[in-house]
Amino acid sequence: MAATIRDVAQASGVHVSTVSRTFSAPHLVNPETRNRVLAVAEDLGYRPNRAARALTTGRTHNLGLIVADISNPFFPPLIKAAQAHARLRDYHVFVADTDEDPQVEEELIQTLTKQVDGVLLCSPRLSNRAIEKLSEDVPFVVVNRRLKGMSTVLMDVGLGARLAIEHLTALGHRRIALLAGPAGSWTSREMSDAARAVAGIDLAILGPNSPTEHGGLAAAEAVLAADVTAVLAYNDLMAIGLVEGLDERGIEVPGRISVVGVDDIVSGRLTRPKLTTVAMPTEAAGRTAVDLLLQLVGAGQTATPALATLATHLIIRDSTGPVPP
Amino acid sequence: MAATIRDVAQASGVHVSTVSRTFSAPHLVNPETRNRVLAVAEDLGYRPNRAARALTTGRTHNLGLIVADISNPFFPPLIKAAQAHARLRDYHVFVADTDEDPQVEEELIQTLTKQVDGVLLCSPRLSNRAIEKLSEDVPFVVVNRRLKGMSTVLMDVGLGARLAIEHLTALGHRRIALLAGPAGSWTSREMSDAARAVAGIDLAILGPNSPTEHGGLAAAEAVLAADVTAVLAYNDLMAIGLVEGLDERGIEVPGRISVVGVDDIVSGRLTRPKLTTVAMPTEAAGRTAVDLLLQLVGAGQTATPALATLATHLIIRDSTGPVPP
DNA sequence: GGAAGTTCTGCAACCGGTTGCACGAAACAT
DNA sequence: ATGTTTCGTGCAACCGGTTGCAGAACTTCC
């Protein structure tokens, strides 16, 4: 089997504690000894066993990352960035998918708790109370949900919504629909609040809707009934679905109706017309979340929760145009 | 801190070993005692510490899942399925992204080795020799690469390529280009072998190319130079990029050139024209891989490597049409 | 030359579980 | 009544590291 610390100790004629220190506190051991130990360790292919180390130190050097749906194209860049960033700091990442089920989410967190130093919760579906309860056991960073007393990374989707609406009003649109997301989504509420705050427009809020292509497709009828010239959708998938639905009914985008999405997923750049959208700083969010979490982990219970708000920006492509005459 | 096995033992007036058995070998303990212990455990919120358990049993109940690029839309469904399937069997999954870098891949596997019972390697970029070497330390299942003596899940992309080519020939195409993927990709070689085996066509193999939208875009010129009427691309991303590149040059798809992709990613259903493509059984692959891996883990070194080949099928949409006159 | 530091290493307990072994009590057979 | 099983539980060693404490060897300073 794989070499243990005792094999190395024996082979290099020192006590196990010296070998241990060679790896976890090198400055405490004589350079000469250290080199000898390192040489032997290298020779035997020894690598410290993280699970064993975790047992005494209480630090697993693992993080948990929980998302509602890995297949939603919004998440992979975040996961990727978080994972890469964590790796640089010598942390591994468990990724778990809750399938949008709060029950699963809770179980997952509970079984993961003992194995990680902290958990990244992305767009959680759990209630605030449940999250607060669970956070007694393990540090959390929440992404895309405001939760007092907890470290949080927010993407300023309110800003994005305002930019989008302003872009539309600049094009002459006055009657605008907001295609809302799932009920209870923080993001969705944030968007409608921001949109309502823009003066001089006539806003129709439609929803809640499923945050998928299909949800957008299904909403086409409601959009037409609302008699608007422009739509801001909860996310790109819905926007794409909506364009499809409008197309089926012979409504041109952006000729008759302009459409704006949110997320800037890859697909949005590939559809015709190319989607005007609010770009989310997902990679930055992943990295920031890991930073905040490690900060929390390092600080122990004395931690002050931090709040990071990341700016969003509007990407103007081909799905928006001047209001028809 | 969280309750340990000793807390439970004390509170229920039995020895720690009895508590341990209550969880890991219930049949060995008197039902009455067991219930008492369980009640106390429940009361104290006790959950067994997996890391500690791993130390003695040698089973971590964790799996590693290594992919080249989480952001490539081909992977998330596989990750999702694998992760969900593993969870049902009480396994957690580390997901790591190598950024297509063999070096990173190797390091990742090495640091993960001690923490997992087995590793799922998806479309590895490492050399066969390196993989064989690493497999001495931990069981592997390789997805999308044939490796003798190792458990393997293959998606029959050769079949897919043949179906695609036959579809094209049925439409009258004779001069067909194959847009290859990265050098050293098993999938890519498999596709060209299968394509070459189809009689009666004039096949141009173009590549290697980067397996991204940009790679497809960049290949547009080469495709035109090859003077073909149809193209089979290594994957959907490239196919979409290619359609884009052709469009920029005023070449209609499928009017002048037909294009077929591989993977059936969501984006392919959203582009205009909708992409004809070879659908890959990614979810099934994820589940099968987990099954094979756990089988291997259970069997110890006596394991016989297994090979699972999953069928692919062709989805005909709008990017292919009859050969132009 | 002796006291007071430094620096390095060893000892042993500990982290939170698991498990082979032994032993006492109850159940069964003779 | 005695001998043999079976069952349930306790004991203690062990998994592979970490770490507080103690002491040996070597400096440094008066």
Side-chain angles (χ1 to χ4, degrees):
Chain A
M1 261 288 101
T4 76
I5 202 173
R6 292 168 218 271
D7 300 330
V8 178
Q10 183 146 28
S12 47
V14 300
H15 195 263
V16 290
S17 56
T18 301
V19 179
S20 173
R21 279 190 275 260
T22 301
F23 289 93
S24 51
H27 59 280
L28 287 181
V29 28
N30 186 312
E32 217 169 293
T33 317
R34 192 199 310 156
N35 289 334
R36 188 152 39 91
V37 170
L38 285 176
V40 172
E42 170 75 34
D43 200 43
L44 266 51
Y46 168 76
R47 332 209 84 194
N49 181 326
R50 295 174 143 231
R53 178 178 289 180
L55 203 51
T56 48
T57 61
R59 288 279 134 82
T60 62
H61 265 245
N62 293 147
L63 300 179
L65 172 54
I66 300 194
V67 301
D69 178 10
I70 300 178
S71 292
N72 181 330
F74 172 75
F75 288 113
L78 193 155
I79 298 173
K80 179 168 176 142
Q83 184 267 152
H85 203 62
R87 202 169 66 77
L88 292 179
R89 283 150 186 73
D90 200 25
Y91 270 77
H92 289 310
V93 179
F94 283 107
V95 176
D97 177 308
T98 67
D99 237 343
E100 308 261 1
D101 183 338
Q103 182 85 39
V104 173
E105 189 171 338
E106 181 158 14
E107 278 180 34
L108 225 31
I109 295 174
Q110 283 176 346
T111 60
L112 229 37
T113 294
K114 288 285 195 339
Q115 277 195 100
V116 299
D117 296 339
V119 173
L120 244 57
L121 218 48
C122 299
S123 314
R125 298 290 183 254
L126 277 177
S127 70
N128 284 5
R129 284 201 42 228
I131 295 179
E132 277 160 16
K133 186 85 193 307
L134 289 166
S135 77
E136 291 168 10
D137 293 336
V138 63
F140 273 116
V141 167
V142 180
V143 178
N144 268 354
R145 170 123 141 214
R146 184 153 226 152
L147 218 50
K148 63 163 193 199
M150 207 155 290
S151 276
T152 308
V153 176
L154 298 175
M155 309 195 208
D156 195 346
V157 71
L159 168 65
R162 201 173 66 239
L163 293 174
I165 301 277
E166 285 171 1
H167 164 61
L168 292 172
T169 55
L171 288 169
H173 298 275
R174 289 297 173 268
R175 292 195 46 75
I176 300 176
L178 179 72
L179 222 52
S185 156
W186 173 85
T187 304
S188 193
R189 196 165 49 252
E190 199 71 0
M191 282 175 67
S192 35
D193 288 354
R196 259 195 291 261
V198 178
I201 61 164
D202 192 356
L203 186 72
I205 295 185
L206 309 176
N209 302 285
S210 157
T212 60
E213 190 204 348
H214 186 261
L217 193 69
E221 207 59 54
V223 165
L224 288 178
D227 185 31
V228 297
T229 62
V231 181
L232 170 59
Y234 172 73
N235 66 16
D236 283 354
L237 285 179
M238 286 183 62
I240 291 170
L242 174 62
V243 170
E244 182 112 357
L246 293 176
D247 186 68
E248 282 173 4
R249 290 169 177 74
I251 311 289
E252 281 175 11
V253 176
R256 284 269 300 282
I257 294 185
S258 287
V259 175
V260 183
V262 174
D263 284 356
D264 189 29
I265 64 174
V266 175
S267 297
R269 299 198 274 277
L270 305 175
T271 52
R272 307 289 165 72
K274 292 180 187 167
L275 202 59
T276 294
T277 190
V278 176
M280 302 283 256
T282 42
E283 283 100 347
R287 282 191 298 268
T288 307
V290 167
D291 283 340
L292 289 185
L293 189 52
L294 291 184
Q295 201 171 296
L296 227 53
V297 169
Q301 32 263 66
T302 68
T304 356
L307 167 66
T309 303
L310 305 175
T312 55
H313 67 276
L314 185 69
I315 298 180
I316 300 172
R317 298 209 184 91
D318 311 333
S319 68
T320 49
V323 67
Chain B
M1 258 293 93
T4 74
I5 201 173
R6 293 168 218 271
D7 299 330
V8 178
Q10 185 145 28
S12 47
V14 300
H15 195 262
V16 290
S17 55
T18 302
V19 179
S20 172
R21 280 189 275 259
T22 300
F23 289 92
S24 50
H27 60 279
L28 288 180
V29 29
N30 185 314
E32 217 170 293
T33 316
R34 193 200 307 158
N35 289 334
R36 188 152 40 89
V37 171
L38 285 177
V40 173
E42 172 73 34
D43 200 45
L44 266 50
Y46 167 76
R47 332 209 84 195
N49 181 325
R50 295 174 144 231
R53 179 178 287 180
L55 203 51
T56 47
T57 60
R59 288 277 136 84
T60 61
H61 266 244
N62 292 147
L63 300 179
L65 171 53
I66 299 192
V67 301
D69 177 11
I70 300 178
S71 291
N72 180 333
F74 171 73
F75 289 112
L78 192 155
I79 298 174
K80 180 168 176 142
Q83 184 267 151
H85 203 62
R87 200 169 67 78
L88 293 179
R89 283 149 185 72
D90 199 26
Y91 269 77
H92 289 310
V93 178
F94 283 108
V95 176
D97 176 308
T98 67
D99 237 345
E100 307 262 1
D101 183 338
Q103 182 86 38
V104 173
E105 189 171 339
E106 182 158 12
E107 278 179 36
L108 226 30
I109 295 174
Q110 283 177 345
T111 60
L112 229 38
T113 293
K114 288 283 195 341
Q115 277 196 102
V116 299
D117 295 340
V119 174
L120 244 58
L121 218 49
C122 300
S123 313
R125 299 290 183 255
L126 278 176
S127 69
N128 284 5
R129 282 201 43 225
I131 295 178
E132 278 161 16
K133 187 85 192 306
L134 289 165
S135 76
E136 291 169 10
D137 294 335
V138 63
F140 273 116
V141 167
V142 180
V143 178
N144 268 356
R145 171 123 140 215
R146 183 154 228 152
L147 218 51
K148 62 164 193 198
M150 207 154 292
S151 275
T152 308
V153 177
L154 298 175
M155 310 195 208
D156 196 346
V157 71
L159 168 65
R162 199 173 68 240
L163 293 174
I165 300 279
E166 285 170 1
H167 165 60
L168 291 173
T169 56
L171 288 168
H173 297 275
R174 288 299 171 266
R175 292 196 45 77
I176 300 176
L178 179 74
L179 223 51
S185 155
W186 173 84
T187 304
S188 193
R189 196 166 47 253
E190 200 72 359
M191 283 175 66
S192 35
D193 287 355
R196 257 195 292 261
V198 178
I201 62 165
D202 191 357
L203 187 72
I205 296 186
L206 309 175
N209 302 284
S210 157
T212 61
E213 189 204 349
H214 186 262
L217 194 69
E221 207 57 57
V223 165
L224 288 179
D227 185 33
V228 296
T229 62
V231 181
L232 170 59
Y234 172 73
N235 67 15
D236 283 353
L237 285 179
M238 286 183 62
I240 290 169
L242 174 64
V243 171
E244 180 112 359
L246 293 176
D247 185 68
E248 282 173 6
R249 290 170 177 75
I251 310 290
E252 281 174 11
V253 175
R256 283 269 300 282
I257 294 185
S258 288
V259 175
V260 183
V262 174
D263 285 354
D264 188 30
I265 63 174
V266 175
S267 296
R269 298 198 274 279
L270 304 176
T271 53
R272 307 290 168 73
K274 292 180 186 168
L275 203 58
T276 294
T277 190
V278 176
M280 303 283 255
T282 44
E283 283 100 347
R287 282 191 298 269
T288 307
V290 167
D291 283 340
L292 289 186
L293 190 52
L294 290 184
Q295 201 171 298
L296 227 53
V297 169
Q301 33 262 66
T302 66
T304 356
L307 167 66
T309 303
L310 306 175
T312 55
H313 66 277
L314 185 69
I315 297 180
I316 300 173
R317 298 207 185 91
D318 311 333
S319 67
T320 47
V323 66

